[in-house]
């Protein structure tokens, strides 16, 4: 704290000298280092083994520290692991741990990781994200009860400072996974003392991250302070971090504008143009694709030509500029921007390019005629299914209009409550359904492997053996060039068959006061406050 | 005395019957809607889902789940929430009901203290300016939905004037806007109700008689008219107290108040089975209880109502 203060003072002095008379000077940290962020919902849990959602992760990533941590650009960097060695076949990782302490003073050891990972996989724990650990050898077998002995799972503490991990296949993004909540260490003593609700009691909530929770007022707010026992505590500048749980978007905005919160991430959409003009909102990249999904088992969408015709008859630019208005990017491909390619520093999307032209009505009409529906004659009525939300409705109405005008299709739109809509999609009771997919880790595979034949999340019922084979190659090879080529090829097959119709790549709108500095906002939707600070204002 | 006990016993039986019907109907309806608590956007692997179903006993046959649930209900054990890990429904109610109840009581008190006098004055000054003013206010309070009222109050007093904090709960200042938002409808309702029943009562024969006997205007109004005009308010107060004390979804959501009201709606969205049931049953208990209290209160206020047959 003192060092950074001194540095900031020297810097600001230098700048003031150099830019005398100019409107700005380097900002000094404020006296009161308290940041209030609207998390917007009550976390369902903060047991890292059991959590699944982004809000929960935004809590856990700031109170726990895993083997790795994602930096500002979402690359994994050493955290509790000081260094690691990966075997030639890419299946064995040996992590060397640094000296770190839990908030209660216990040392953080390799045993804490082994305990936590096995706990997440234990069928009795019934963790939803247990399958995040299926990368470990025998992880799936243990979780599904095929083997009973937890010691056969591919994670072992050799000693207090060495963790050996064995995977079923080389996994290029494994070091990103180890930064994820499910992979956080747990203090066995505390967890066992507290039972199922260890994390709700302040005396058994033992953590090892930049902050520690001091008060959790349910559905109201969560108060954290800097954790003096954190191994990198010198880096942490905030003294206090408060998360509020205000769900109503317009209330969040009013609280932001009246100074009750400093940072929020759900501005009401109708207000976006104004907020943008006033430079109150900014849009950060978000690893997600908004798309429509065809039911490929029912006519007319069992015909790839019809699917492509419908995909090309949409004006995406108009949708992002006139309807959604949050700086989204029209998607003429499946995998969003922001993910690495084989060569360091390149972007998978940029090198993969776009697969078709936006708003290509001529080609769309031609394809539809080839499929036997010239000018839409003979097309059955089409129904778009979406979950009840104003924005989805607005998009569906725009698309309804475009399909009517461009293809002569008779389109209706239907909304359903969230869980009813999910159930109907899973059961195949739809023709075209609105959908979204948010990446779990920063690697194209998080999008590519969703569409494998019979994949649980592939509700389009599309299946292609060649696609599956390419995914398998990408998942098992240790050769990066080969791996990325396989994923590019797979995406080409997917866009050729068009079981899903990409519309746009998401962005994350953020309400941030100008004095809030260095919050790391991940493309995965996480907010990391370990380097954040408040400037004088 | 025996008759009174008989009356209580009868009421108790009917209350238990009502609660049983409510709990059973909710149980069946809840399982009939598509999608369950673990229907998620990212589909869970079979095995993971099975582990969860075993943990929450969702793999038992439905009748078994029903019997278990009713058994637990008798012991007021409402079970674990499916949405909030490691949280019980009892806990949720215990911590959020007092907040909603506190806010609800403020709102009811405000509504009574403003609504009833406004109604009385309106009736006495019928078609004069105080009447017009009060009824204008009542029409607004009556017709503006609470989400608009809440947003409007926040816009004016928090955003524009900066007199009060926009949202959240804890300080007395934070209670002002939600109390106003919550009180506006019952306040308007009370004012209109009292006004119309006052007008009716004032034309009754016994009031004329009282006046003819030479009683002063004030005595007639306060001893005779108001006491009778207030009856409809008492009737309405029972269900109102139950519903307002268990919280309003809209007001609690807009003002970010950690009360029970939000759970009525979100538990259904989440298919949080135990929470849906627990909260519905809890609300029903309060409702029948307050209705019961109102029925008793009648006996004290209205001499025409008697629950015990008087012997000749």
């Amino acid at each position: 704290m003192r060092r950074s203060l001194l540095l900031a003072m020297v810097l600001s002095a230098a700048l003031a000298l150099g830019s005398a008379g100019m409107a700005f000077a380097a900002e000094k940290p404020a006296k009161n280092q308290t940041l209030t962020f609207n998390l917007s919902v009550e976390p369902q849990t903060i047991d890292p083994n059991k959590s699944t959602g982004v809000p929960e992760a935004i809590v856990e990533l700031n109170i726990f520290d895993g083997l790795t941590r994602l930096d500002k650009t979402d690359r994994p960097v050493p955290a509790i692991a000081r260094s690691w060695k990966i075997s030639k076949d890419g299946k064995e990782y040996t992590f060397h741990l640094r000296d770190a302490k839990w908030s209660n003073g216990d040392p953080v050891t390799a045993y804490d990781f082994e305990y936590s990972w096995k706990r997440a996989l234990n069928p009795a724990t019934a963790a939803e994200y247990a399958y995040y650990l299926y990368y470990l050898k025998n992880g799936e077998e243990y979780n599904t009860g095929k083997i009973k002995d937890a010691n056969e799972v591919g994670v072992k503490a050799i000693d207090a400072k060495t963790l050996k991990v064995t995977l079923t296949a080389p996994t290029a993004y494994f070091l990103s996974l180890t930064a994820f909540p499910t992979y956080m260490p747990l203090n066995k003593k505390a967890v066992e003392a507290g039972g199922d609700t260890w994390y709700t009691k302040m005396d058994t909530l033992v953590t090892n991250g930049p902050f520690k929770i001091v008060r959790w007022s349910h559905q109201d707010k969560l108060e954290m302070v800097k954790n003096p026992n954190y191994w990198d505590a010198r880096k942490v500048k905030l003294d206090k971090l408060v998360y509020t749980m205000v769900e109503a978007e317009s209330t969040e905005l009013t609280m932001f504008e009246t100074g009750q919160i400093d940072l929020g991430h759900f501005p009401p959409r109708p207000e976006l143009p104004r907020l943008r003009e006033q430079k109150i909102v900014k849009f950060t990249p978000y690893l997600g694709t908004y798309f429509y999904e065809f039911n490929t088992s029912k006519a007319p969408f069992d015909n790839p030509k019809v699917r492509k015709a419908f995909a090309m008859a949409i004006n995406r630019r108009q949708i992002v500029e006139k309807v959604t208005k949050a700086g989204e990017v029209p998607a003429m491909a499946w995998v969003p921007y922001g993910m690495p390619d084989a060569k360091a520093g390149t972007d998978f999307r940029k090198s993969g390019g776009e697969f078709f032209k936006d708003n290509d009505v001529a080609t769309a009409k031609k394809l539809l005629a080839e499929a036997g529906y010239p000018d839409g004659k003979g097309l059955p009525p089409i129904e778009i299914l979406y979950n009840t939300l104003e924005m989805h409705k607005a998009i569906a109405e725009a698309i309804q209009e475009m399909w009517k005008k461009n293809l002569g299709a008779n389109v209706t739109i239907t909304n359903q409550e969230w869980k009813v809509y999910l159930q109907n999609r899973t059961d195949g009771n739809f023709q075209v359904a609105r959908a979204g997919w948010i990446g779990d880790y920063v690697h194209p595979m998080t999008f590519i492997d969703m569409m494998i034949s019979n994949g649980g999340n592939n509700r389009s019922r599309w299946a292609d053996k060649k696609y599956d084979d390419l995914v398998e190659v990408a998942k098992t090879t240790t050769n990066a060039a080969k791996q990325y080529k396989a994923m590019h090829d797979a995406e080409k097959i997917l866009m050729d068959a068009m079981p899903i119709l990409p519309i746009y790549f998401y962005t994350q709108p953020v309400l941030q006061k100008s004095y809030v500095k260095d919050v790391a906002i991940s493309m995965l939707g996480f907010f990391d406050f370990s380097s954040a600070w408040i400037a004088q204002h | 005395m025996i008759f009174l006990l008989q009356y209580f016993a009868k009421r108790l039986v009917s209350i238990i019957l009502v609660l049983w019907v409510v709990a059973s109907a909710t149980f069946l309806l809840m399982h009939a809607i598509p999608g369950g608590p673990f229907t998620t956007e990212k589909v869970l692997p079979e095995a993971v889902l099975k582990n969860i179903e075993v943990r929450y006993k969702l793999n038992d046959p439905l009748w078994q789940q029903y019997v278990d649930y009713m058994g637990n209900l008798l012991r007021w054990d409402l079970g674990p929430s499916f949405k909030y890990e490691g949280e019980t429904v009892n806990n949720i109610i215990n911590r959020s009901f007092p907040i909603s109840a506190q806010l609800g009581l403020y709102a009811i008190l405000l509504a009574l203290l403003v609504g009833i006098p406004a109604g009385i004055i309106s009736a006495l000054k019928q078609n004069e300016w105080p009447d017009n003013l009060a009824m204008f206010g009542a029409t607004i309070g009556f017709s503006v939905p609470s989400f608009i009222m809440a947003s409007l109050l926040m816009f004016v007093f928090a955003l524009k004037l900066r007199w009060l904090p926009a949202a959240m709960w804890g300080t007395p200042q934070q209670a002002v806007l939600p109390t106003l938002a919550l009180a506006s409808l019952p306040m308007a309702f009370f004012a209109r109700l009292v006004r119309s029943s006052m007008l009716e009562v004032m034309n009754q024969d016994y009031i004329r008689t009282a006046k003819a006997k030479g009683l002063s205007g004030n005595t007639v109004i306060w001893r005779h008219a108001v006491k009778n005009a207030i009856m409809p308010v008492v009737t309405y107060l029972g269900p109102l107290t139950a519903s307002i004390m268990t919280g309003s979804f809209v007001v609690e959501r807009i003002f970010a108040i950690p009360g029970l009201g939000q759970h009525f709606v979100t538990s259904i969205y989440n298919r949080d089975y135990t929470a849906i049931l627990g909260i519905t049953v809890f609300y029903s208990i309060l409702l029948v209880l307050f209705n019961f209290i109102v029925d008793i209160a009648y006996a004290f206020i209205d001499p025409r109502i008697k629950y015990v047959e008087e012997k000749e």
Side-chain angles (χ1 to χ4, degrees), chain A residues 308-319:
Chain A
K308 278 170 103 167
F310 274 73
M312 288 173 180
I314 291 178
N315 188 341
R316 293 164 178 76
R317 183 146 303 278
Q318 205 174 356
I319 292 175

Side-chain angles (χ1 to χ4, degrees), chain A residues 511-525:
Chain A
L511 290 169
Q512 184 170 351
K513 294 274 187 197
S514 58
Y515 53 75
V516 173
K517 305 290 177 188
D518 293 329
V519 177
I521 304 172
S522 160
M523 286 187 288
L524 298 166

Side-chain angles (χ1 to χ4, degrees), chain B residues 20 23-24 27 62-79 90 277 281:
Chain B
W20 174 73
S24 305
F27 185 90
L62 207 56
W63 65 264
Q64 178 78 54
Q65 290 183 45
Y66 176 76
V67 171
D68 287 349
Y69 185 79
M70 286 299 162
N72 291 334
L73 193 57
L74 288 179
R75 279 176 280 118
W76 198 239
D77 170 7
L78 303 173
N90 290 73
L277 272 171
V281 171

Side-chain angles (χ1 to χ4, degrees), chain A residues 44 50 127-128 131 134 143-144 196-197 199 218-220 247 251 260 417 419 423 436 438 440 456-457 459, chain B residues 35-37 39-43 45 47-48 51-52 55 83 85-86 95 166-168 253-254 263 269 271:
Chain A
Q44 290 185 27
K50 295 207 172 187
E128 281 186 45
Y131 65 92
Y134 284 5
N143 185 240
T144 53
D196 262 356
T197 53
Y199 58 88
H218 293 275
Q219 264 153 343
D220 183 31
E247 281 193 49
T251 306
Q260 255 186 306
E417 183 258 2
K419 297 242 176 185
Q423 191 68 51
I438 310 300
D440 293 320
N457 291 305
R459 291 157 168 126
Chain B
T39 309
T40 50
E41 183 165 34
K42 297 197 172 175
V43 171
V48 171
N51 289 337
I52 292 171
R55 184 186 155 97
K83 163 95 172 171
E85 260 293 325
R95 107 176 148 241
M168 312 232 350
R253 192 181 154 85
I254 291 181
H263 293 285
Y269 279 142
R271 303 289 190 275

Side-chain angles (χ1 to χ4, degrees), chain A residues 256-268:
Chain A
F256 180 80
E257 293 189 302
T258 55
Q260 255 186 306
I261 58 168
D262 307 307
L263 190 67
H265 62 315
F266 286 104

Side-chain angles (χ1 to χ4, degrees), chain B residues 100-263:
Chain B
S100 291
Q102 192 188 352
L103 177 59
L105 281 179
Y106 293 160
I108 290 173
L109 280 178
L110 182 67
L112 287 173
L113 289 177
V114 177
I116 293 178
I120 294 173
I121 292 168
S122 279
L124 296 179
K125 308 263 177 205
Q126 197 186 357
N127 297 330
E128 288 172 43
W129 72 265
D131 180 31
N132 293 338
L133 184 72
M135 285 307 108
F136 177 71
T139 309
I140 289 180
F142 205 68
S143 50
V144 175
S146 59
F147 73 94
I148 292 182
M149 186 61 81
S151 307
L152 197 70
L153 288 169
M154 194 191 287
F155 179 79
V156 174
F157 295 103
L159 190 64
K160 288 294 158 198
L161 300 172
R162 309 276 167 125
W163 287 355
L164 292 161
M168 312 232 350
W169 188 248
T171 64
Q173 288 92 327
Q174 283 169 326
V176 176
L177 294 181
T179 303
L180 284 173
L182 203 55
S184 74
L185 178 72
M187 198 192 287
F189 194 73
F190 285 148
R192 286 166 55 127
L193 209 59
V194 171
R195 178 180 181 269
S196 63
S197 70
M198 266 295 273
L199 288 176
E200 198 191 315
V201 168
M202 293 296 278
N203 289 327
Q204 299 269 332
D205 291 344
Y206 72 89
I207 297 289
R208 214 171 300 141
T209 313
K211 277 186 184 159
K213 278 164 82 181
L215 285 178
S216 79
N218 273 336
T219 316
V220 174
I221 291 164
W222 294 109
R223 294 257 330 256
H224 300 279
V226 171
K227 197 181 162 196
N228 286 295
I230 218 118
M231 286 300 295
V233 172
V234 176
T235 313
Y236 177 56
L237 210 50
L240 176 79
T241 310
S243 84
I244 224 168
M245 279 181 51
T246 45
S248 144
F249 171 69
V250 171
V251 170
E252 287 184 3
R253 192 181 154 85
I254 291 181
F255 289 106
I257 293 160
L260 190 61
Q262 314 207 16
H263 293 285

